[in-house]
Amino acid sequence: MDDEVVQRVFQEGGRDYFQQQPSTSSSSSSSILQSLPLHVSFDHGYYLLVKSIQELREKKDGLVTVGIGGPSGSGKTSLAEKVASVIGCTVVSMENYRDGFDEGNDLDSIDFNTLVQNLEDLTKGKDTMIPVFDYQQKRRIGSKAIKSASSGVLIVDGTYALHAKLRSLLDIRVAVVGGVHFSLLSKVRYDIGDSCSLDYLIDSIFPLFRKHIEPDLHHAQIRINNSFVSSFREAIYKLKCRSELLVGDSAYVFQGNEPQTDNFIEMYLRPPSASEEARINDWIKVRQSGIRYYLSLGDQRIVDKIYIIRPKAEFEVGRMTLGGLLALGYTVVVSYKRASTSVNNDNVSLSLENIDTLGETFMVLRGMDRKTVGEKALGMGINGPWITKSYLELILERKGVPRLNSPPPLLNTSPTSNQERVVVTPRPIRVTTNIVTPLEDIAQPWTRSPTKSKMEPVLATWHFISSNPLHTNSSVVDFSHEATTDPASFRDTIKLAPMPDSCDLDRGLLLSVQAIQALLENKGLPVIVGIGGPSGSGKTSLAHKMANIVGCEVVSLESYYKSEQVKDFKYDDFSSLDLSLLSKNIGDIRNGRRTKVPIFDLETGARSGFKELEVSEDCGVIIFEGVYALHPDIRKSLDFWIAVVGGVHSHLISRVQRDKSRVGCFMSQNEIMMTVFPMFQQYIEPHLVHAHLKIRNDFDPVLSPESSLFVLKSNKQVAYQDILKILDSEKFCSSVQNFIDIYLRIPGIPTNGQLTESDCIRVRICEGRFALLIREPIREGNFIIQPKVDFDISISTVAGLLNLGYQAVAYIEASAYIYQDGKILIEVDHLQDAPSPYLQIKGVNKEAVAAAGSMLKLDGSYTTKSYLQIILEGLPAMERSSTGIYPQQAARLQELVEFIQSQGSSSASESSPCREVNPMEGILEEMQMRIKRLERWHTINTVLWTFLMSALVGYSLYQRKRQ
């Protein structure tokens, strides 16, 4: 379906390529505005944009131009930067084309003539000079050169990037709405109520939007609704203390590095309906830097021990937005000046900040990793005392909360026009991609829908309920008196009150940490958390993000596998867990004793040892995560229950539904769920409804730019010593993996007679486990860009896919040698049917991966073909079968399929822990033995190669010494 959407992007509006095509019909095709979905998510829009750029580059010569427009704070700049980081294109910001400064967002201040001239020069293959604007000096300070040959793609990023003066020069037009734009509208509507129409609020806060920005967004080919506002997924960790050093004497602190000085004015706006009491989470924070304004909704943060943890929650807005908020009745209750002198060193920012209202200087360390910030403070000998209060709290403690002024009355109707109608805040519009909605039939523009208007912008508060019969008549009880009289019985009788509604992943992460803090404050140590949900839902990622914030341990329930059950492929069966050992560990933790948690080796399918775990004042939280973490036999011993659904789990169901619909068979998600995940619906899902916090994970890592790996693949021979040279010896580790990849495909999908990986679902059998490799790779130059998604499943899921009509059409046996140092992963794959091994360099940093490839002298030898494509191309035409593999392998694949079906059906239905030995198990064992023989051959080859290279080096040194 995504490929069809990408094709529609090119059907109309292409700048050069499609204008050259001869017209095949006198009548024009349907409008692209009607054929595309109303809007897509940020991740999906990113994926569609990259695929569109790639396909257009293949179909036309010259530069591909992209315009990304939208209101301030919608996320268009983030999208442009993410696309540029993947495909290496040039981004031109319209902010540099100001010929003056009026109100920060005025259309008349943009020099469109220069921008149009620059675009025309680049599209004609000419080099050009683009201006550079300095906001501090409020003027254009120079220009910089852009060469037309430097990049095949140019992105224009700006509020007016889709203006009529530019649209004819753009190949792809992208509109981004949402983000802080929608959230601010929702916040203001919540604060003010229904006394004003939505249009009136928009005209007050964003006066240029409806007249100059919104009309252009309807001309976009890809429309993105960005619901991502602020998240602790990429939190900023801060340590703050008072400093006796003056800013002028900061050379000692900055250790000779060049410091950067900034001056800010920070203002806090109180809502017009606020009471006298200080609820700073309801206030809007505005930071002014020169002539630029940055806004964040509320003082959202987490305080854990000595750390202040904040999300990336600031967005740039225009000056008129601040004026509009003041006109609506918001009042500036606190304002202070902050002078900051900072320097960046080893991914940690060190700042000396002077607050004029307090008359004090503070030292602040900031970083993206909690441990790194703490280690930096220890290395510098900074021991505090640490301050966890914000500057706002320190000011309020000293001066008190300013008295509330009477806000100006709000008009019930808009004074702009008598014909303006009151627009009711709409619900989010959800349409399927195959429904055509004429633009004139859309009653409410998608560009101004505050999708969270019905949701309270302030996070809900956790409450406790009691199991004591004395409190049965009250749902929420004050336990302050009981906590002081009988702490032991108090801890046993109270528990968290479940949140009534589900929430998204970002909101759930914040609520989870706040629940843990509430439990620590009210019940004391320890706090034991359980995170349950289906495989691939995101529970493991959530657990580790929580642990990074709270600073605690995560224990996977996979560590408690019984080896005899694992050998039967029963990874999703509750009986596969060593429940007695788990209960003992939880009991020891509960009573403050040291306990030994098992370590399970998936390669051998057996327990390999134990690690010691102890709850202390430093780490009073333990998180258990796993499919059955909320099973009644487990959750009764836990303090906090979290259920997570969605993620790749939902992606697979949608993928199967898409494949079935392509062959004319429409199935409901429930039917697919019952077939593909029978264990989940019967044994896992019923337990999730009892969770204190229910999280729906709409984040799709398969299509997300947040989880991309950059891969370079080559079949050039590289010596083992050369690999060691480019990896960090202190962090070096290696491992071996033997795997079998099976490709499943729905028969009937139209193809060109070729088997392609995009039409198949790949199932990997590795170390006795089954995993789905759901990947939508993007190929850019020599790079294969793919998400980091390995979705563990049970054998019953594979059998369910086969029962739905998928057929095994190919398989690959391989042995992989993996070398890594935490930054770069080098994988040497020996494919059974390939004459030579293939080397893959993987990493999240594109430049680091490219540098590693150059050091290994792989330039010019890269390929972006998949292993399936490589194997099929190596087959002689006479020996190819309908399945795309060797005829002698077809029988072996069929036997493997029959084994999966028989084993999968028995694991889903049988209740007895024992089963008959199936002779088909020999197939897997035989394959593993063949791969191990290949592994031994490779080891011998490596040793011989090492001796040969050592001899050659020694001989050359001997000859040089003689000369």
Side-chain angles (χ1 to χ4, degrees):
M1 189 63 68
D2 288 340
D3 294 336
E4 297 173 7
V5 174
V6 170
Q7 290 299 324
R8 292 172 186 167
V9 173
F10 305 134
Q11 287 175 3
E12 291 189 13
R15 174 176 48 83
D16 293 327
Y17 175 76
F18 294 103
Q19 291 178 356
Q20 299 171 0
Q21 305 304 309
S23 177
T24 58
S25 173
S26 58
S27 61
S28 61
S29 61
S30 61
S31 171
I32 190 67
L33 297 176
Q34 299 175 19
S35 60
L36 280 178
L38 192 61
H39 59 248
V40 295
S41 66
F42 186 85
D43 293 331
H44 198 181
Y46 157 84
Y47 175 76
L48 287 177
L49 176 56
V50 174
K51 296 285 284 187
S52 301
I53 291 173
Q54 286 186 310
E55 194 154 332
L56 191 55
R57 288 174 68 179
E58 295 175 358
K59 293 185 176 181
K60 69 181 290 293
D61 298 327
L63 187 70
V64 173
T65 54
V66 180
I68 303 179
S72 299
S74 61
K76 57 187 180 298
T77 302
S78 298
L79 177 65
E81 292 174 351
K82 290 181 185 297
V83 173
S85 67
V86 169
I87 64 177
C89 60
T90 303
V91 178
V92 174
S93 174
M94 293 187 68
E95 298 291 329
N96 288 317
Y97 284 88
R98 296 190 179 278
D99 52 11
F101 188 84
D102 187 5
E103 289 295 312
N105 219 7
D106 195 353
L107 183 64
D108 297 333
S109 64
I110 303 295
D111 186 0
F112 279 97
N113 294 330
T114 302
L115 177 55
V116 170
Q117 185 62 50
N118 290 151
L119 290 178
E120 290 179 345
D121 290 341
L122 292 172
T123 54
K124 294 177 182 178
K126 301 179 181 178
D127 298 341
T128 189
M129 302 289 292
I130 66 171
V132 177
F133 189 85
D134 190 326
Y135 273 84
Q136 296 294 332
Q137 303 182 29
K138 304 181 183 181
R139 64 182 180 88
R140 191 176 294 178
I141 59 174
S143 58
K144 67 177 182 179
I146 292 184
K147 296 183 178 180
S148 60
S150 62
S151 174
V153 180
L154 179 72
I155 297 178
V156 180
D157 161 39
T159 303
Y160 303 105
L162 303 187
H163 193 271
K165 296 180 180 179
L166 302 177
R167 285 201 297 268
S168 61
L169 298 171
L170 301 176
D171 293 310
I172 303 175
R173 302 180 294 273
V174 183
V176 186
V177 298
V180 73
H181 187 264
F182 281 2
S183 295
L184 182 59
L185 285 175
S186 301
K187 160 71 174 170
V188 174
R189 193 171 182 85
Y190 172 81
D191 289 340
I192 293 178
D194 296 328
S195 57
C196 294
S197 69
L198 179 60
D199 284 351
Y200 176 67
L201 294 182
I202 293 175
D203 292 338
S204 300
I205 306 173
F206 305 106
L208 300 175
F209 175 72
R210 286 208 301 159
K211 182 178 180 181
H212 296 297
I213 303 173
E214 186 179 39
D216 296 331
L217 302 183
H218 293 292
H219 295 274
Q221 297 153 309
I222 300 176
R223 303 172 180 182
I224 296 176
N225 190 330
N226 181 20
S227 61
F228 182 84
V229 180
S230 63
S231 173
F232 285 90
R233 276 188 261 168
E234 295 183 1
I236 300 173
Y237 296 85
K238 294 171 53 176
L239 288 176
K240 180 168 65 176
C241 65
R242 287 184 172 85
S243 174
E244 302 299 328
L245 297 173
L246 298 176
V247 176
D249 298 330
S250 60
Y252 167 74
V253 178
F254 299 135
Q255 299 178 355
N257 293 315
E258 185 66 27
Q260 180 179 357
T261 302
D262 293 302
N263 295 305
F264 307 102
I265 298 177
E266 296 188 348
M267 298 168 281
Y268 285 87
L269 279 62
R270 180 162 50 190
S273 59
S275 60
E276 289 286 352
E277 63 183 11
R279 291 189 62 190
I280 58 178
N281 286 335
D282 289 343
W283 296 358
I284 296 176
K285 179 182 177 181
V286 178
R287 179 168 61 91
Q288 180 183 355
S289 175
I291 57 176
R292 309 186 84 158
Y293 294 85
Y294 301 88
L295 179 145
S296 60
L297 300 178
D299 192 31
Q300 192 178 71
R301 62 187 184 132
I302 296 172
V303 176
D304 186 71
K305 302 180 181 65
I306 62 175
Y307 289 90
I308 303 173
I309 308 165
R310 289 184 177 273
K312 291 182 177 180
E314 284 193 332
F315 301 87
E316 186 175 357
V317 295
R319 179 182 174 186
M320 289 186 290
T321 297
L322 176 60
L325 291 172
L326 297 175
L328 287 172
Y330 287 82
T331 55
V332 180
V333 289
V334 176
S335 177
Y336 59 88
K337 294 181 180 179
R338 176 164 63 96
S340 173
T341 303
S342 61
V343 66
N344 291 320
N345 189 7
D346 296 332
N347 298 322
V348 175
S349 170
L350 177 66
S351 304
L352 289 178
E353 300 182 346
N354 180 266
I355 309 301
D356 66 336
T357 304
L358 297 173
E360 294 182 90
T361 301
F362 299 85
M363 182 181 296
V364 183
L365 287 90
R366 296 180 178 87
M368 300 295 293
D369 184 81
R370 177 176 179 141
K371 292 182 179 179
T372 304
V373 175
E375 291 172 356
K376 187 68 175 178
L378 290 177
M380 298 181 62
I382 306 175
N383 299 317
W386 304 109
I387 302 171
T388 58
K389 295 180 180 178
S390 65
Y391 295 134
L392 174 62
E393 290 174 317
L394 295 175
I395 292 174
L396 293 178
E397 283 184 354
R398 182 173 299 185
K399 298 191 173 183
V401 183
R403 292 189 60 81
L404 182 65
N405 297 323
S406 299
L410 295 173
L411 299 177
N412 291 330
T413 59
S414 171
T416 56
S417 173
N418 292 331
Q419 299 179 350
E420 182 178 355
R421 61 187 176 88
V422 177
V423 180
V424 180
T425 306
R427 296 180 178 179
I429 303 175
R430 298 183 181 274
V431 297
T432 57
T433 55
N434 58 346
I435 295 180
V436 177
T437 305
L439 185 62
E440 60 273 10
D441 291 343
I442 300 176
Q444 173 62 43
W446 59 281
T447 53
R448 66 178 84 161
S449 169
T451 55
K452 297 183 180 180
S453 61
K454 301 294 184 182
M455 185 181 300
E456 185 181 357
V458 181
L459 285 174
T461 304
W462 286 101
H463 299 287
F464 290 92
I465 56 178
S466 176
S467 58
N468 192 322
L470 299 177
H471 301 294
T472 54
N473 295 328
S474 58
S475 58
V476 180
V477 185
D478 182 11
F479 296 102
S480 57
H481 173 69
E482 295 184 18
T484 56
T485 57
D486 191 357
S489 63
F490 167 76
R491 178 182 178 87
D492 295 334
T493 56
I494 71 167
K495 58 183 180 179
L496 278 174
M499 285 287 177
D501 300 320
S502 62
C503 59
D504 58 20
L505 186 64
D506 296 322
R507 193 178 181 90
L509 178 59
L510 178 58
L511 283 171
S512 299
V513 176
Q514 290 179 337
I516 291 173
Q517 292 179 326
L519 286 166
L520 287 172
E521 182 179 349
N522 290 276
K523 298 184 67 174
L525 301 178
V527 172
I528 307 178
V529 183
I531 304 179
S535 298
S537 60
K539 58 185 179 300
T540 304
S541 299
L542 176 67
H544 286 282
K545 292 181 189 302
M546 288 171 56
N548 191 33
I549 293 176
V550 179
C552 67
E553 289 284 342
V554 176
V555 179
S556 173
L557 293 188
E558 292 184 353
S559 302
Y560 294 89
Y561 279 145
K562 299 176 183 177
S563 58
E564 61 272 14
Q565 295 288 86
V566 167
K567 291 178 181 178
D568 291 342
F569 307 102
K570 294 182 178 179
Y571 288 97
D572 61 348
D573 194 334
F574 183 67
S575 62
S576 65
L577 297 178
D578 189 346
L579 191 59
S580 60
L581 178 58
L582 176 61
S583 300
K584 179 183 181 302
N585 290 152
I586 295 178
D588 290 342
I589 294 171
R590 176 74 63 200
N591 296 313
R593 297 191 297 265
R594 291 186 180 182
T595 190
K596 291 185 177 181
V597 176
I599 300 173
F600 192 84
D601 190 341
L602 295 173
E603 183 174 358
T604 61
R607 193 171 293 168
S608 60
F610 294 86
K611 70 174 181 178
E612 200 168 73
L613 199 61
E614 182 181 14
V615 174
S616 62
E617 291 288 339
D618 220 20
C619 177
V621 182
I622 301 294
I623 300 175
F624 288 90
E625 65 89 11
V627 172
Y628 286 102
L630 300 188
H631 190 278
D633 292 342
I634 299 177
R635 70 168 185 258
K636 63 183 180 182
S637 304
L638 308 179
D639 299 307
F640 182 29
W641 312 334
I642 304 174
V644 187
V645 297
V648 195
H649 188 262
S650 297
H651 181 97
L652 175 61
I653 298 173
S654 301
R655 165 68 191 266
V656 174
Q657 195 170 32
R658 183 198 73 177
D659 288 351
K660 297 293 289 185
S661 63
R662 290 174 67 183
V663 296
C665 179
F666 299 95
M667 297 185 66
S668 67
Q669 291 192 359
N670 188 54
E671 291 176 306
I672 298 173
M673 175 75 76
M674 292 175 62
T675 309
V676 179
F677 299 108
M679 301 293 289
F680 169 74
Q681 197 166 45
Q682 187 174 0
Y683 298 108
I684 303 172
E685 189 176 34
H687 308 150
L688 304 182
V689 297
H690 301 283
H692 298 124
L693 181 63
K694 305 176 185 67
I695 297 176
R696 60 182 190 281
N697 182 15
D698 298 325
F699 179 73
D700 191 348
V702 178
L703 302 178
S704 172
E706 306 292 341
S707 59
S708 294
L709 270 180
F710 295 92
V711 182
L712 289 175
K713 181 189 295 184
S714 171
N715 64 344
K716 187 176 180 179
Q717 299 296 310
V718 176
Y720 174 70
Q721 290 78 8
D722 294 335
I723 295 177
L724 292 180
K725 290 178 183 178
I726 67 172
L727 297 177
D728 188 347
S729 58
E730 295 182 357
K731 300 179 181 179
F732 172 82
C733 63
S734 62
S735 60
V736 179
Q737 282 188 352
N738 305 312
F739 62 87
I740 302 170
D741 283 350
I742 303 175
Y743 294 85
L744 306 177
R745 180 177 177 272
I746 284 283
I749 296 179
T751 60
N752 296 327
Q754 298 178 350
L755 182 63
T756 59
E757 191 171 7
S758 60
D759 293 330
C760 299
I761 293 179
R762 180 161 44 141
V763 177
R764 172 162 292 184
I765 307 174
C766 181
E767 299 169 349
R769 304 189 71 175
F770 289 81
L772 278 180
L773 275 61
I774 307 177
R775 295 173 179 173
E776 300 286 348
I778 298 170
R779 290 167 173 82
E780 174 61 32
N782 293 324
F783 284 92
I784 304 171
I785 307 165
Q786 63 187 24
K788 297 181 291 184
V789 179
D790 288 329
F791 179 25
D792 285 341
I793 56 174
S794 70
I795 194 171
S796 59
T797 297
V798 186
L801 291 173
L802 295 173
N803 292 335
L804 286 176
Y806 285 86
Q807 293 183 355
V809 291
Y811 84 107
I812 296 174
E813 295 182 46
S815 179
Y817 295 82
I818 301 172
Y819 314 98
Q820 56 185 324
D821 62 358
K823 295 182 179 179
I824 295 295
L825 184 147
I826 298 178
E827 180 178 322
V828 182
D829 296 328
H830 292 262
L831 310 182
Q832 181 190 14
D833 298 315
S836 61
Y838 279 81
L839 184 142
Q840 295 189 83
I841 306 175
K842 302 179 181 181
V844 296
N845 186 289
K846 187 176 183 180
E847 288 73 20
V849 173
S854 298
M855 294 175 65
L856 293 175
K857 300 179 181 180
L858 299 179
D859 295 333
S861 65
Y862 297 119
T863 178
T864 59
K865 296 179 180 179
S866 66
Y867 284 149
L868 178 63
Q869 187 177 358
I870 292 171
I871 294 297
L872 293 180
E873 289 179 354
L875 289 177
M878 297 297 294
E879 295 187 10
R880 294 185 187 180
S881 65
S882 59
T883 58
I885 58 176
Y886 287 108
Q888 59 267 29
Q889 291 182 337
R892 186 181 301 276
L893 178 60
Q894 182 60 32
E895 292 176 349
L896 183 60
V897 168
E898 292 175 357
F899 166 69
I900 291 174
Q901 288 178 319
S902 61
Q903 190 68 17
S905 60
S906 63
S907 64
S909 60
E910 69 176 6
S911 57
S912 173
C914 302
R915 64 175 181 86
E916 296 180 1
V917 178
N918 195 312
M920 297 302 171
E921 291 180 358
I923 301 172
L924 287 177
E925 295 178 1
E926 181 184 350
M927 290 181 176
Q928 295 291 344
M929 291 297 297
R930 291 164 60 186
I931 293 175
K932 287 182 178 180
R933 286 196 296 269
L934 185 64
E935 174 186 337
R936 288 195 294 270
W937 174 86
H938 176 72
T939 303
I940 296 172
N941 186 41
T942 302
V943 173
L944 293 176
W945 182 259
T946 302
F947 281 126
L948 176 62
M949 291 299 297
S950 300
L952 290 175
V953 172
Y955 181 75
S956 61
L957 291 175
Y958 172 74
Q959 290 294 337
R960 185 177 301 176
K961 185 176 180 180
R962 287 188 59 187
Q963 294 175 357

